[in-house]
mmCIF file of all heavy atoms in Angstrom:
data_model
loop_
_atom_site.group_PDB
_atom_site.id
_atom_site.type_symbol
_atom_site.label_atom_id
_atom_site.label_comp_id
_atom_site.label_asym_id
_atom_site.label_seq_id
_atom_site.Cartn_x
_atom_site.Cartn_y
_atom_site.Cartn_z
ATOM 1 N N PHE T 1 9.678 -1.724 -4.424
ATOM 2 C CA PHE T 1 8.617 -0.683 -4.427
ATOM 3 C C PHE T 1 7.490 -1.088 -5.353
ATOM 4 O O PHE T 1 6.309 -0.869 -5.019
ATOM 5 C CB PHE T 1 9.209 0.655 -4.894
ATOM 6 C CG PHE T 1 8.220 1.798 -4.750
ATOM 7 C CD1 PHE T 1 7.983 2.384 -3.539
ATOM 8 C CD2 PHE T 1 7.449 2.232 -5.835
ATOM 9 C CE1 PHE T 1 7.046 3.397 -3.369
ATOM 10 C CE2 PHE T 1 6.529 3.232 -5.729
ATOM 11 C CZ PHE T 1 6.313 3.806 -4.482
ATOM 12 N N LEU T 2 7.811 -1.642 -6.490
ATOM 13 C CA LEU T 2 6.745 -2.048 -7.414
ATOM 14 C C LEU T 2 5.843 -3.125 -6.846
ATOM 15 O O LEU T 2 4.683 -3.263 -7.284
ATOM 16 C CB LEU T 2 7.378 -2.524 -8.737
ATOM 17 C CG LEU T 2 8.048 -1.443 -9.589
ATOM 18 C CD1 LEU T 2 8.800 -2.069 -10.747
ATOM 19 C CD2 LEU T 2 7.034 -0.439 -10.099
ATOM 20 N N SER T 3 6.328 -3.876 -5.868
ATOM 21 C CA SER T 3 5.503 -4.879 -5.215
ATOM 22 C C SER T 3 4.353 -4.233 -4.449
ATOM 23 O O SER T 3 3.319 -4.862 -4.252
ATOM 24 C CB SER T 3 6.317 -5.738 -4.280
ATOM 25 O OG SER T 3 6.757 -5.025 -3.124
ATOM 26 N N LEU T 4 4.521 -2.967 -4.036
ATOM 27 C CA LEU T 4 3.446 -2.275 -3.307
ATOM 28 C C LEU T 4 2.672 -1.388 -4.274
ATOM 29 O O LEU T 4 1.435 -1.284 -4.167
ATOM 30 C CB LEU T 4 4.049 -1.405 -2.177
ATOM 31 C CG LEU T 4 3.073 -0.641 -1.329
ATOM 32 C CD1 LEU T 4 2.107 -1.586 -0.637
ATOM 33 C CD2 LEU T 4 3.826 0.183 -0.279
ATOM 34 N N ASN T 5 3.369 -0.704 -5.180
ATOM 35 C CA ASN T 5 2.676 0.112 -6.195
ATOM 36 C C ASN T 5 3.187 -0.282 -7.590
ATOM 37 O O ASN T 5 4.271 0.164 -8.007
ATOM 38 C CB ASN T 5 2.899 1.561 -5.972
ATOM 39 C CG ASN T 5 2.149 2.433 -6.989
ATOM 40 O OD1 ASN T 5 1.456 1.904 -7.862
ATOM 41 N ND2 ASN T 5 2.276 3.727 -6.859
ATOM 42 N N PRO T 6 2.438 -1.105 -8.315
ATOM 43 C CA PRO T 6 2.846 -1.529 -9.626
ATOM 44 C C PRO T 6 3.055 -0.373 -10.615
ATOM 45 O O PRO T 6 3.734 -0.521 -11.628
ATOM 46 C CB PRO T 6 1.706 -2.437 -10.082
ATOM 47 C CG PRO T 6 1.023 -2.864 -8.855
ATOM 48 C CD PRO T 6 1.145 -1.700 -7.897
ATOM 49 N N ASN T 7 2.475 0.817 -10.276
ATOM 50 C CA ASN T 7 2.601 1.955 -11.164
ATOM 51 C C ASN T 7 3.920 2.736 -10.947
ATOM 52 O O ASN T 7 4.201 3.630 -11.686
ATOM 53 C CB ASN T 7 1.424 2.880 -10.957
ATOM 54 C CG ASN T 7 1.284 3.949 -12.068
ATOM 55 O OD1 ASN T 7 1.576 3.667 -13.233
ATOM 56 N ND2 ASN T 7 0.859 5.145 -11.700
ATOM 57 N N GLY T 8 4.643 2.361 -9.910
ATOM 58 C CA GLY T 8 5.935 2.996 -9.686
ATOM 59 C C GLY T 8 5.919 4.451 -9.399
ATOM 60 O O GLY T 8 6.758 5.225 -9.846
ATOM 61 N N ARG T 9 4.938 4.901 -8.595
ATOM 62 C CA ARG T 9 4.833 6.313 -8.243
ATOM 63 C C ARG T 9 4.587 6.433 -6.710
ATOM 64 O O ARG T 9 3.998 5.557 -6.098
ATOM 65 C CB ARG T 9 3.662 6.997 -8.945
ATOM 66 C CG ARG T 9 3.834 7.026 -10.469
ATOM 67 C CD ARG T 9 4.919 8.011 -10.902
ATOM 68 N NE ARG T 9 4.996 8.193 -12.336
ATOM 69 C CZ ARG T 9 5.733 7.465 -13.152
ATOM 70 N NH1 ARG T 9 6.472 6.433 -12.659
ATOM 71 N NH2 ARG T 9 5.778 7.668 -14.442
ATOM 72 N N ILE T 10 5.132 7.538 -6.174
ATOM 73 C CA ILE T 10 4.845 7.811 -4.748
ATOM 74 C C ILE T 10 3.597 8.689 -4.662
ATOM 75 O O ILE T 10 3.225 9.334 -5.640
ATOM 76 C CB ILE T 10 6.041 8.491 -4.067
ATOM 77 C CG1 ILE T 10 6.426 9.831 -4.751
ATOM 78 C CG2 ILE T 10 7.247 7.570 -4.041
ATOM 79 C CD1 ILE T 10 5.870 11.044 -4.153
ATOM 80 N N PRO T 11 2.926 8.677 -3.508
ATOM 81 C CA PRO T 11 3.212 7.930 -2.272
ATOM 82 C C PRO T 11 2.527 6.574 -2.263
ATOM 83 O O PRO T 11 1.618 6.283 -3.075
ATOM 84 C CB PRO T 11 2.632 8.821 -1.199
ATOM 85 C CG PRO T 11 1.427 9.448 -1.838
ATOM 86 C CD PRO T 11 1.806 9.620 -3.320
ATOM 87 N N ALA T 12 2.938 5.732 -1.301
ATOM 88 C CA ALA T 12 2.254 4.492 -1.013
ATOM 89 C C ALA T 12 2.388 4.280 0.505
ATOM 90 O O ALA T 12 3.245 4.815 1.126
ATOM 91 C CB ALA T 12 2.901 3.326 -1.755
ATOM 92 N N ILE T 13 1.447 3.457 1.036
ATOM 93 C CA ILE T 13 1.503 3.193 2.503
ATOM 94 C C ILE T 13 1.202 1.743 2.733
ATOM 95 O O ILE T 13 0.610 1.041 1.890
ATOM 96 C CB ILE T 13 0.497 4.045 3.283
ATOM 97 C CG1 ILE T 13 -0.959 3.662 2.956
ATOM 98 C CG2 ILE T 13 0.730 5.558 3.075
ATOM 99 C CD1 ILE T 13 -1.991 4.233 3.934
ATOM 100 N N ILE T 14 1.629 1.294 3.902
ATOM 101 C CA ILE T 14 1.149 0.046 4.484
ATOM 102 C C ILE T 14 0.535 0.430 5.839
ATOM 103 O O ILE T 14 1.197 1.082 6.666
ATOM 104 C CB ILE T 14 2.258 -0.992 4.713
ATOM 105 C CG1 ILE T 14 2.897 -1.420 3.374
ATOM 106 C CG2 ILE T 14 1.688 -2.225 5.407
ATOM 107 C CD1 ILE T 14 4.127 -2.267 3.532
ATOM 108 N N ASP T 15 -0.686 0.027 6.062
ATOM 109 C CA ASP T 15 -1.340 0.230 7.362
ATOM 110 C C ASP T 15 -1.427 -1.148 8.012
ATOM 111 O O ASP T 15 -2.168 -2.024 7.503
ATOM 112 C CB ASP T 15 -2.699 0.836 7.206
ATOM 113 C CG ASP T 15 -3.365 1.110 8.569
ATOM 114 O OD1 ASP T 15 -2.750 0.807 9.634
ATOM 115 O OD2 ASP T 15 -4.491 1.621 8.600
ATOM 116 N N PRO T 16 -0.690 -1.388 9.094
ATOM 117 C CA PRO T 16 -0.760 -2.703 9.726
ATOM 118 C C PRO T 16 -2.084 -2.993 10.388
ATOM 119 O O PRO T 16 -2.424 -4.148 10.669
ATOM 120 C CB PRO T 16 0.364 -2.652 10.813
ATOM 121 C CG PRO T 16 0.525 -1.166 11.083
ATOM 122 C CD PRO T 16 0.238 -0.472 9.770
ATOM 123 N N ASN T 17 -2.896 -1.909 10.613
ATOM 124 C CA ASN T 17 -4.209 -2.067 11.204
ATOM 125 C C ASN T 17 -5.266 -1.650 10.210
ATOM 126 O O ASN T 17 -6.003 -0.690 10.439
ATOM 127 C CB ASN T 17 -4.281 -1.218 12.478
ATOM 128 C CG ASN T 17 -3.206 -1.584 13.520
ATOM 129 O OD1 ASN T 17 -3.184 -2.707 13.980
ATOM 130 N ND2 ASN T 17 -2.298 -0.655 13.802
ATOM 131 N N GLY T 18 -5.362 -2.384 9.143
ATOM 132 C CA GLY T 18 -6.328 -2.084 8.085
ATOM 133 C C GLY T 18 -7.687 -2.676 8.380
ATOM 134 O O GLY T 18 -8.029 -3.014 9.529
ATOM 135 N N PRO T 19 -8.541 -2.769 7.401
ATOM 136 C CA PRO T 19 -9.877 -3.326 7.577
ATOM 137 C C PRO T 19 -9.826 -4.717 8.191
ATOM 138 O O PRO T 19 -8.980 -5.528 7.841
ATOM 139 C CB PRO T 19 -10.442 -3.365 6.156
ATOM 140 C CG PRO T 19 -9.682 -2.316 5.411
ATOM 141 C CD PRO T 19 -8.299 -2.308 5.989
ATOM 142 N N ASP T 20 -10.712 -4.940 9.126
ATOM 143 C CA ASP T 20 -10.781 -6.202 9.857
ATOM 144 C C ASP T 20 -9.493 -6.496 10.630
ATOM 145 O O ASP T 20 -9.163 -7.647 10.964
ATOM 146 C CB ASP T 20 -11.097 -7.392 8.901
ATOM 147 C CG ASP T 20 -12.400 -7.223 8.153
ATOM 148 O OD1 ASP T 20 -13.354 -6.737 8.786
ATOM 149 O OD2 ASP T 20 -12.458 -7.493 6.955
ATOM 150 N N GLY T 21 -8.717 -5.427 10.903
ATOM 151 C CA GLY T 21 -7.494 -5.593 11.688
ATOM 152 C C GLY T 21 -6.344 -6.235 10.952
ATOM 153 O O GLY T 21 -5.318 -6.546 11.545
ATOM 154 N N LYS T 22 -6.487 -6.342 9.626
ATOM 155 C CA LYS T 22 -5.436 -6.957 8.814
ATOM 156 C C LYS T 22 -4.613 -5.840 8.089
ATOM 157 O O LYS T 22 -5.151 -4.850 7.688
ATOM 158 C CB LYS T 22 -6.044 -7.900 7.795
ATOM 159 C CG LYS T 22 -6.799 -9.066 8.444
ATOM 160 C CD LYS T 22 -7.448 -9.950 7.369
ATOM 161 C CE LYS T 22 -8.207 -11.081 8.020
ATOM 162 N NZ LYS T 22 -8.859 -11.964 6.978
ATOM 163 N N PRO T 23 -3.314 -6.123 7.873
ATOM 164 C CA PRO T 23 -2.489 -5.096 7.116
ATOM 165 C C PRO T 23 -3.027 -4.908 5.708
ATOM 166 O O PRO T 23 -3.516 -5.845 5.077
ATOM 167 C CB PRO T 23 -1.125 -5.754 7.125
ATOM 168 C CG PRO T 23 -1.098 -6.747 8.265
ATOM 169 C CD PRO T 23 -2.532 -7.261 8.334
ATOM 170 N N ILE T 24 -2.875 -3.674 5.246
ATOM 171 C CA ILE T 24 -3.288 -3.367 3.897
ATOM 172 C C ILE T 24 -2.259 -2.407 3.268
ATOM 173 O O ILE T 24 -1.742 -1.541 3.940
ATOM 174 C CB ILE T 24 -4.677 -2.714 3.894
ATOM 175 C CG1 ILE T 24 -5.190 -2.500 2.417
ATOM 176 C CG2 ILE T 24 -4.711 -1.370 4.634
ATOM 177 C CD1 ILE T 24 -6.629 -2.026 2.330
ATOM 178 N N GLY T 25 -1.927 -2.637 2.012
ATOM 179 C CA GLY T 25 -1.092 -1.733 1.262
ATOM 180 C C GLY T 25 -1.892 -0.932 0.293
ATOM 181 O O GLY T 25 -2.815 -1.463 -0.375
ATOM 182 N N LEU T 26 -1.602 0.353 0.195
ATOM 183 C CA LEU T 26 -2.360 1.260 -0.686
ATOM 184 C C LEU T 26 -1.424 2.143 -1.481
ATOM 185 O O LEU T 26 -0.386 2.537 -0.974
ATOM 186 C CB LEU T 26 -3.317 2.108 0.126
ATOM 187 C CG LEU T 26 -4.411 1.383 0.921
ATOM 188 C CD1 LEU T 26 -5.076 2.360 1.888
ATOM 189 C CD2 LEU T 26 -5.439 0.773 -0.020
ATOM 190 N N PHE T 27 -1.867 2.537 -2.669
ATOM 191 C CA PHE T 27 -1.168 3.532 -3.481
ATOM 192 C C PHE T 27 -2.186 4.456 -4.107
ATOM 193 O O PHE T 27 -3.400 4.223 -3.968
ATOM 194 C CB PHE T 27 -0.241 2.883 -4.526
ATOM 195 C CG PHE T 27 -0.956 2.019 -5.515
ATOM 196 C CD1 PHE T 27 -1.400 2.542 -6.743
ATOM 197 C CD2 PHE T 27 -1.206 0.657 -5.279
ATOM 198 C CE1 PHE T 27 -2.015 1.760 -7.692
ATOM 199 C CE2 PHE T 27 -1.834 -0.134 -6.203
ATOM 200 C CZ PHE T 27 -2.251 0.386 -7.433
#
């Protein structure tokens, strides 16, 4: 989980269709 959100809090998402069609992880 910390690999996606270093702050260790929910929520977080991965959008496989992010900017320029590339995956993006957000918290």
Side-chain angles (χ1 to χ4, degrees):
F1 187 81
L2 291 171
S3 71
L4 182 58
N5 182 359
N7 194 36
R9 296 289 186 271
I10 59 97
I13 68 167
I14 298 172
D15 183 359
N17 301 299
D20 302 319
K22 298 178 181 179
I24 186 172
L26 297 169
F27 60 93

